[in-house]
Amino acid sequence: MIVVCPSCSARFQYPDARFQGALSKRFRCPKCAAFFEVMNPALPEPQPAAPEAPPDGPKPTETTNRKEKDIQMAAAGRGPGALPKGLRYSLAFLTGPQASTVRALDSAVTVIGREEGDVVIHDPEISRKHARIEIHSDGSAWIADMGSTNGTETNGRNITEPTELLDRQEFTCGRSTFMLLIRPVDSMAQD
């Protein structure tokens, strides 16, 4: 396989067999000395765990305000909060101005935008505040469009409500395509 450094775009060959069954390998670029993670291409994608049924309780009414909904979601383990322990969340930039780079998500809520947000992309097709990724306490990740001009797309369709993102699922904002990566922290093997 060809490994590409996300920092300097240096390319080098790495035999697939050297993964030795590991989910991923951690590399140090021979050119710029940056560290980065590469997933094992020989392993099948992990299947997502079946979602837990929400506990029985009062259902929110149309008049329930956002704060009350957030409290109810957090109590059910379905709202954003602290990042779940033992999991690492990253965004891989597949196309657009930052293609071939990976950025770790260090907050339960990440806003993607052209001028404002946690991940700023200089793509003219991305709105000032384009999309929001929320990582819930149960480990699930959700994406929501923030009223952007060109919309947010996943699975070939524009999303109109919060949509769950699975590991290695791609989504598009403007002309930029991203992939969400969810990995156990202990799977970071050094070569």
Side-chain angles (χ1 to χ4, degrees):
M1 78 181 284
I2 301 294
V3 176
V4 180
C5 174
S7 296
C8 71
S9 299
R11 301 168 76 91
F12 55 95
Q13 189 107 21
Y14 188 80
D16 292 356
R18 291 194 59 199
F19 275 92
Q20 300 174 346
L23 289 174
S24 64
K25 286 283 186 174
R26 187 167 169 97
F27 290 91
R28 182 173 182 213
C29 178
K31 184 176 179 184
C32 71
F35 285 95
F36 58 96
E37 178 184 10
V38 174
M39 303 311 300
N40 185 345
L43 293 180
E45 290 187 33
Q47 297 299 318
E52 294 180 23
D56 291 336
K59 297 189 184 211
T61 64
E62 291 181 29
T63 59
T64 305
N65 65 30
R66 178 74 180 160
K67 187 175 181 180
E68 290 172 344
K69 282 185 180 180
D70 288 344
I71 291 169
Q72 290 172 348
M73 293 295 279
R78 300 290 296 177
L83 290 174
K85 292 184 183 201
L87 293 175
R88 176 185 303 243
Y89 297 82
S90 303
L91 270 186
F93 301 79
L94 303 179
T95 64
Q98 294 176 327
S100 299
T101 61
V102 178
R103 178 172 175 173
L105 302 181
D106 53 4
S107 173
V109 177
T110 302
V111 174
I112 299 171
R114 184 184 71 242
E115 295 177 8
E116 298 177 31
D118 306 296
V119 177
V120 176
I121 309 294
H122 299 290
D123 177 343
E125 299 294 317
I126 290 181
S127 294
R128 181 175 291 141
K129 281 187 174 180
H130 196 99
R132 180 180 64 247
I133 297 174
E134 291 183 0
I135 300 169
H136 294 188
S137 56
D138 66 354
S140 64
W142 296 77
I143 187 164
D145 187 81
M146 298 179 72
S148 67
T149 302
N150 295 317
T152 302
E153 181 179 302
T154 186
N155 296 329
R157 63 174 182 83
N158 278 336
I159 60 171
T160 57
E161 58 188 35
T163 303
E164 185 171 14
L165 288 175
L166 303 175
D167 179 41
R168 292 181 158 184
Q169 186 168 351
E170 295 180 15
F171 62 95
T172 302
C173 299
R175 293 184 191 159
S176 299
T177 302
F178 309 87
M179 178 187 290
L180 179 70
L181 302 172
I182 305 171
R183 295 288 168 256
V185 172
D186 59 352
S187 75
M188 300 289 289
Q190 293 217 357
D191 184 41

